[in-house]
Amino acid sequence: MTTTRGRFACTAEAVFAVLADGWSYPSWVVGASRMRNVSDAWPAPGARLAHSVGIWPLLLNDSTTCDDWDPPRRAILTARGRPFGEARVEILVTPVANGCEVEMREYAVRGPARLIPRRVESFLIGLRNAETLRRLRFLAEGRARGRVARIRQEPPTQSSGDA
């Protein structure tokens, strides 16, 4: 199992808002290049994201399934990554002072990737997931700042007692 951690300057809820937006998946997952469909039930357990990996014209259609959804603490996904197989991805979020810590655990569960030596797997997945967490952090922190900025820009409302 490869574990990658990152500290985010936003709430766990902001992280889960990004995870809940299935259409944003290729924006934060390294290797995912486009979305083809998001199940109406996403992110409920059993719901599926249909995405493609690679670059045009060398694209493979794959999918990711939500196995467990427990915001704002944990999401567990099964990601298909042909031709390598399937991986279990656990995203654990812990509140800390001024934000949260996000831990991503990933390990092969099916296919040829299970044959890759652990040290090689950890190195390669570690590099990929460090960038994945960096992208997720940018999106979550950006969403959190955007909400604060919108709230601050809205003029105060007044109510009249004479209505």
Side-chain angles (χ1 to χ4, degrees), residues 9-102:
C10 63
T11 64
E13 289 80 9
V15 173
F16 272 83
V18 175
L19 299 177
D21 178 5
W23 290 103
S24 75
Y25 190 79
S27 299
W28 61 274
V29 175
V30 172
S33 56
R34 67 179 179 195
M35 289 305 299
R36 295 178 295 114
N37 190 37
V38 175
S39 168
D40 289 339
W42 185 263
R48 194 175 141 225
L49 300 175
H51 52 81
S52 300
V53 297
I55 57 172
W56 186 89
L58 304 172
L59 291 169
L60 293 173
N61 292 336
D62 272 318
S63 62
T64 295
T65 304
C66 183
D67 298 321
D68 186 34
W69 182 254
D70 184 20
R73 291 176 288 285
R74 179 182 66 244
I76 300 176
L77 311 173
T78 297
R80 286 185 52 206
R82 288 184 292 158
F84 303 107
E86 290 184 1
R88 173 72 39 98
V89 180
E90 300 174 5
I91 301 170
L92 309 170
V93 183
T94 306
V96 296
N98 299 318
C100 62
E101 182 175 280
V102 179

